[in-house]
Amino acid sequence: MIWIPLVVAVPFLGAATLVVVGHALPRRASDVIGIAGAGTAVVLAAILLARVGAGTSVYWFGGWTPRAGSFPLGIAFAVDTFGATLALFVLTLVLAALVYSWRYMEETHHLYEVLMLLFGGAMAGFALSGDLFNMFVLFELMSVAAFALAAYNVEETTAIQGAFNFAVTNTLGALFVLTGIALVYGRTGSLNLAEIGRRLGSDGRHDGLVIVAFGLIVCGFLVKAAIVPFHFWLADAYAIAPAPVCLLFAAVMSDLGIYGIARVYWVAFDGVLGQFEDPLRDVLLGVGAVTAVLGAVMAVLQRHLKRLLAYATISDLGCFLIGVALLTPDGVAGTGAWVVAHGLAKGSLFLAGGILLVTKGSIDEIVLHGKGRDRRWSALAWAAAALALAGPPFLGTWPGHALVDDAATQLGRGWIPVLLAAVTIVSTAAIVRAGLRVFLGLGPRTDRLLSPEPDEAPPAQDEPPSLALMQAVAVTLAVASLALGAVTSLGAHAKEAAHRFTDGDAYRALVLDHTPLPPAPAAHWATSAQGVVWGLVCLAGSFALALGLLYRSRVVPAAVFRPLKAVHSGHVGDYVAWLTFGVAVIGGAFALALR
């Protein structure tokens, strides 16, 4: 299928074109080329998803298609419904970010578009790749573009510091992944995910080399996903990146780390490590739970809106890891649906924050007290996105949340729905609190609980930005997030795609032996009373807690949170120390669980 490589090639070609001629073009011409490249890629990704349907398609580059049962020498893209949907989602967000950016940033604008197209193409390629080393290469290409985009406002010291922290920690994460890949290659002699899975499964040895390789790859992707204690870089990067860049960071970039863990486990390692499913599940659930709780608490302590949204994203990433860590198709289905709705909502919030920065000159919740009253469309986007994140029944993130709850209950993990509801309430309450203070002027003008952070300067512009266009993009994403939860067939489609995604045997047989996929089991999902109840609890709890945070009477002294704030020091040396500690602890837990 020629559509498969074009989904990645078109954004890359658009970026290459702008590198060559962008400096000589008028600004609006480079805008058109960037938007056209992203738009074409979105159309191609939509065609690819339609053609893949509920199955899986394999494309071998250069015609290096292996004969059945022979060793695969070529490089393959293996595209299933999850991968194709993720690629379409990524490229749609790139298009939205570029449309929003029309006249948002003027200086070296064509280079910004080059980086955005590279970023989007690399993320799409990562979602489609069937080769472990190519996944690493594409993730690092994405990371390099992300480092540069984070430091786009290069004249600001905070931008350089945040991008430096981002680059150092993620480069170390990449080193972990690369070392794990080298160990896997030494054992199997292959980099193709399907061949790795077949060789490890037929060998059946889960010795120290396999455990260390798996642990390093997982820890590397956990760094990319900003899971505790590897999360410190994320708030620094989000706080200094331009708003349209934060759209991609929060909506999909870190989620790809969790996708990478799921893809590698079910295709390459499930055959050899599947017998240790329960202890492996417990380790990942523990890490996800800590991340969800810490991110939610830190979100409440922020007054810098982008840092608040960043820590709320960390909490959500912990929830996504919990969904994948259940190691069941239903858990993966819920996580997939949750990721898309969350990405649209969180992206809308960052774009609304960008509008406040341009029009009011600040991104600080306290400074902006009541100043957003005249920004009605931004207020609408903020309210709709917050409502989507709260997950009321049949709206926003609710289907994904309910699917994960049901999957956890079926496994006898009754504490998971309680935890997910609690962290959703806390993180969403912080967002609602900020919206009430900024857009309605509610609450006091000071709050000792909130951490003071350096404010952000508005982007330099030669002409006024197109506020109507910016607001249209923000509102569209928020409404789309809400509407997604109302799609009644979403749960069943997600479950069907998840069964394909987690069927490692069928994947390997298709890629290596060209064996057609067996018929997918009939998937259906009926709304449960538990899901509706938890949705109502999250909705009511989020808004009640938000009002409590605004009008509390120092129920919790600010000093209680001082140690937690001190740990998030902003010093890259501290972050590297925590990263080293995290690898040792999680790696040790894997060694004990898989012995």
Side-chain angles (χ1 to χ4, degrees):
M1 292 176 65
I2 191 62
W3 306 107
I4 297 177
L6 286 179
V7 169
V8 180
V10 166
F12 286 170
L13 289 173
T17 301
L18 285 172
V19 167
V20 175
V21 304
H23 65 282
L25 294 175
R27 289 172 179 170
R28 298 289 78 81
S30 65
D31 282 337
V32 170
I33 292 175
I35 291 173
T40 303
V42 168
V43 173
L44 293 171
I47 294 173
L48 175 61
L49 178 59
R51 294 204 170 192
V52 168
T56 301
S57 297
V58 183
Y59 179 88
W60 291 92
F61 286 86
W64 285 77
T65 305
R67 293 189 300 273
S70 64
F71 186 84
L73 294 177
I75 296 172
F77 273 4
V79 187
D80 58 11
T81 307
F82 259 48
T85 302
L86 187 55
L88 175 60
F89 183 54
V90 164
L91 294 169
T92 300
L93 292 178
V94 171
L95 177 60
L98 289 176
V99 171
Y100 178 93
S101 300
W102 188 278
R103 296 212 310 259
Y104 184 79
M105 290 177 292
E106 297 294 342
E107 193 172 347
T108 59
H109 189 63
H110 76 284
L111 296 181
Y112 162 77
E113 291 176 327
V114 168
L115 292 170
M116 292 289 276
L117 290 172
L118 285 176
F119 192 38
M123 286 192 289
F126 180 84
L128 304 179
S129 182
D131 182 277
L132 184 56
F133 186 72
N134 270 12
M135 288 179 70
F136 166 77
V137 170
L138 289 165
F139 212 127
E140 291 318 296
L141 176 59
M142 177 193 73
S143 296
V144 170
F147 302 155
L149 286 167
Y152 189 80
N153 298 320
V154 68
E155 68 281 356
E156 295 186 17
T157 303
T158 54
I160 298 300
Q161 181 180 353
F164 180 74
N165 292 347
F166 183 11
V168 169
T169 52
N170 277 259
T171 300
L172 290 174
L175 180 61
F176 297 148
V177 174
L178 187 59
T179 305
I181 292 173
L183 294 176
V184 169
Y185 182 73
R187 167 57 64 83
T188 65
S190 178
L191 294 171
N192 181 277
L193 282 171
E195 182 67 18
I196 291 170
R198 177 164 291 182
R199 287 177 175 253
L200 289 178
S202 62
D203 188 351
R205 288 187 294 156
H206 60 282
D207 56 13
L209 186 147
V210 172
I211 294 173
V212 170
F214 177 75
L216 286 172
I217 292 172
V218 168
C219 284
F221 282 132
L222 289 178
V223 173
K224 304 290 186 179
I227 299 299
V228 173
F230 311 125
H231 67 290
F232 296 98
W233 64 267
L234 187 142
D236 292 342
Y238 286 24
I240 48 86
V245 175
C246 289
L247 162 62
L248 298 179
F249 282 8
V252 72
M253 181 184 70
S254 295
D255 304 338
L256 288 178
I258 296 175
Y259 171 86
I261 293 171
R263 175 62 81 190
V264 169
Y265 172 75
W266 267 292
V267 178
F269 286 97
D270 72 325
V272 66
L273 299 180
Q275 58 185 310
F276 302 101
E277 194 173 80
D278 284 337
L280 180 60
R281 177 185 292 124
D282 291 338
V283 172
L284 293 176
L285 285 176
V287 175
V290 172
T291 302
V293 172
L294 181 63
V297 172
M298 287 298 297
V300 170
L301 304 179
Q302 308 304 311
R303 56 186 278 183
H304 189 287
L305 294 182
K306 286 162 71 173
R307 282 189 176 273
L308 186 159
L309 296 174
Y311 282 113
T313 300
I314 291 173
S315 179
D316 292 325
L317 289 166
C319 296
F320 302 156
L321 180 59
I322 288 173
V324 170
L326 293 173
L327 301 181
T328 64
D330 287 3
V332 173
T335 302
W338 198 343
V339 162
V340 176
H342 162 269
L344 293 170
K346 197 61 67 66
S348 175
L349 290 168
F350 273 106
L351 297 187
I355 294 170
L356 289 172
L357 179 62
V358 168
T359 58
K360 305 301 177 183
S362 176
I363 203 74
D364 188 295
E365 177 184 334
I366 300 298
V367 174
L368 289 170
H369 186 283
K371 294 182 179 180
R373 289 191 180 97
D374 60 339
R375 300 261 64 91
R376 295 179 181 177
W377 288 105
S378 298
L380 174 62
W382 194 279
L387 182 61
L389 292 173
F394 312 107
L395 290 175
T397 58
W398 179 78
H401 196 154
L403 275 165
V404 174
D405 286 348
D406 291 346
T409 302
Q410 290 170 10
L411 284 176
R413 302 301 203 278
W415 59 271
I416 289 179
V418 178
L419 175 74
L420 295 181
V423 297
T424 298
I425 288 171
V426 174
S427 62
T428 307
I431 295 170
V432 174
R433 180 203 69 202
L436 294 175
R437 182 173 267 133
V438 171
F439 295 107
L440 297 181
L442 300 182
R445 294 181 177 273
T446 60
D447 192 335
R448 291 184 179 181
L449 183 66
L450 306 185
S451 301
E453 297 286 348
D455 210 343
E456 183 176 348
Q461 295 162 323
D462 296 335
E463 54 183 314
S466 177
L467 288 178
L469 191 59
M470 294 166 69
Q471 291 173 155
V473 175
V475 171
T476 299
L477 292 182
V479 172
S481 175
L482 269 178
L484 188 66
V487 178
T488 56
S489 59
L490 178 63
H493 286 315
K495 289 182 69 171
E496 183 178 357
H499 277 281
R500 290 288 191 200
F501 184 86
T502 57
D503 191 346
D505 290 335
Y507 178 101
R508 292 185 285 267
L510 174 67
V511 172
L512 300 176
D513 303 328
H514 318 303
T515 303
L517 292 172
H524 66 278
W525 178 61
T527 303
S528 66
Q530 171 185 255
V532 173
V533 169
W534 282 122
L536 293 173
V537 167
C538 289
L539 176 64
S542 297
F543 284 86
L545 180 59
L547 291 172
L549 291 172
L550 277 175
Y551 295 107
R552 75 186 193 284
S553 180
R554 292 185 177 84
V555 176
V556 181
V560 172
F561 299 103
R562 197 169 294 153
L564 190 58
K565 294 179 181 180
V567 169
H568 297 77
S569 63
H571 300 301
V572 69
D574 294 343
Y575 295 176
V576 171
W578 277 107
L579 189 149
T580 306
F581 169 77
V583 172
V585 171
I586 296 174
F590 280 143
L592 292 174
L594 305 177
R595 66 185 187 277

